């Protein structure tokens, strides 16, 4: 992952997600077991402009804060069993949509963790409060129940949709006054899931 200066046409900051992995593998690894490498698949920048998320092949989502000419990892969490193919911040919030190779679509609220780390003695910037909402589904199997906090880290998904196909692209958008999730997969159809306001 690179932060570029377009004026100087060179990267200001570079991180290799595979080298930055410091967490231990959960449980004993059996011989011949393969672990997915932390290859970056998708990046999304929040509306504030200095927070971005990265979805990776190892099934983990990482959130970074841009601080001048460098970036610091704010948090990381895992909810997908296969690679995270898409990440997308919803407008004016820290609500993050993720889509995976496991056919799942998840909605995460990272605002409490991001704002908690923002309240350090360093320079603070104004943030809009994320909109609260409730989620319904149309078309896939939406599972409101989630697993233990340990599985995901400090943050739990607010919504889990069993889409069924590998997610190639997703977008949170407003259609006729209602928030929706648009999803493209390996079929020729675009799926639409309503995302009612919390």
């Amino acid at each position: 992952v690179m932060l570029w200066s377009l004026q100087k046409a060179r990267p200001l900051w570079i991180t290799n997600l595979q080298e930055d992995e410091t967490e231990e593998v959960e449980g004993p690894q059996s011989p011949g077991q393969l672990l997915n490498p932390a290859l970056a698949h998708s990046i999304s920048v929040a509306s504030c402009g200095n927070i971005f998320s990265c979805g990776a092949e190892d099934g983990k989502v990482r959130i970074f804060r841009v601080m001048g000419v460098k970036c610091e990892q704010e948090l990381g969490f895992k909810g997908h069993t296969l690679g995270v193919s898409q990440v997308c911040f919803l407008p004016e919030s820290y609500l993050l949509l993720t889509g995976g190779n496991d056919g799942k679509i998840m909605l995460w609220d990272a605002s409490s963790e991001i704002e908690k780390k923002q309240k350090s003695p360093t320079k603070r910037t104004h943030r809009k409060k994320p909109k609260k909402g409730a989620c319904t589904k149309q078309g896939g199997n939406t599972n409101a129940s989630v697993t233990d906090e340990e599985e995901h880290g400090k943050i739990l998904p607010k919504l889990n949709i069993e889409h069924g196909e590998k997610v190639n692209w997703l977008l949170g958008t407003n259609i006729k006054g209602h928030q929706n999730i648009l999803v493209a997969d390996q079929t020729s159809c675009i799926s639409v899931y309503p995302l009612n306001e919390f």
Side-chain angles (χ1 to χ4, degrees), residues 13-79:
W13 170 86
I14 301 172
T15 189
N16 183 335
L17 299 180
Q18 295 179 60
E19 291 173 1
D20 290 346
E21 276 304 300
T22 57
E23 71 182 67
E24 295 86 28
V25 176
E26 294 172 14
Q29 183 178 351
S30 61
Q33 181 182 4
L34 295 175
L35 297 175
N36 290 336
L39 304 173
H41 283 306
S42 178
I43 301 248
S44 178
V45 179
S47 298
C48 65
N50 70 330
I51 298 288
F52 69 91
S53 63
C54 176
E57 180 62 26
D58 62 358
K60 193 170 178 183
V61 175
R62 293 159 180 87
I63 296 184
F64 295 87
R65 181 183 304 274
V66 178
M67 304 184 68
V69 295
K70 64 179 185 135
C71 302
E72 290 183 7
Q73 185 169 330
E74 292 284 302
L75 67 144
F77 50 90
K78 189 170 183 175

Side-chain angles (χ1 to χ4, degrees), residues 101-105 140-141 161-167 185 193:
N101 294 342
D102 58 2
K104 293 181 182 176
I105 300 162
N141 176 19
I161 299 172
E162 293 285 345
H163 179 67
E165 297 283 334
K166 174 185 178 288
V167 176
D185 53 35
Y193 295 96

Side-chain angles (χ1 to χ4, degrees), residues 84-171:
V84 180
S85 57
Q86 290 291 296
V87 290
C88 178
F89 275 109
L90 294 181
E92 304 300 325
S93 73
Y94 293 127
L95 292 173
L96 180 68
L97 285 170
T98 62
N101 294 342
D102 58 2
K104 293 181 182 176
I105 300 162
M106 296 183 180
L107 177 69
W108 308 83
D109 185 353
S111 59
S112 61
E113 290 298 315
I114 291 171
E115 290 169 359
K116 185 189 313 179
K117 295 189 179 192
Q118 179 184 331
K119 291 181 180 172
S120 66
T122 57
K123 184 170 86 174
R124 296 180 67 195
T125 56
H126 177 70
R127 298 277 185 264
K128 290 188 176 182
K129 287 266 186 192
K131 295 178 182 176
K132 298 288 180 192
C135 303
T136 61
K137 72 107 186 142
Q138 173 183 334
N141 176 19
T142 302
N143 181 4
S145 64
V146 292
T147 56
D148 294 332
E149 191 170 318
E150 292 88 40
E151 184 179 333
H152 307 289
K154 296 178 182 178
I155 181 171
L156 295 171
K158 297 289 183 191
L159 173 69
N160 186 352
I161 299 172
E162 293 285 345
H163 179 67
E165 297 283 334
K166 174 185 178 288
V167 176
N168 288 337
W169 172 86
L170 57 76
L171 177 70

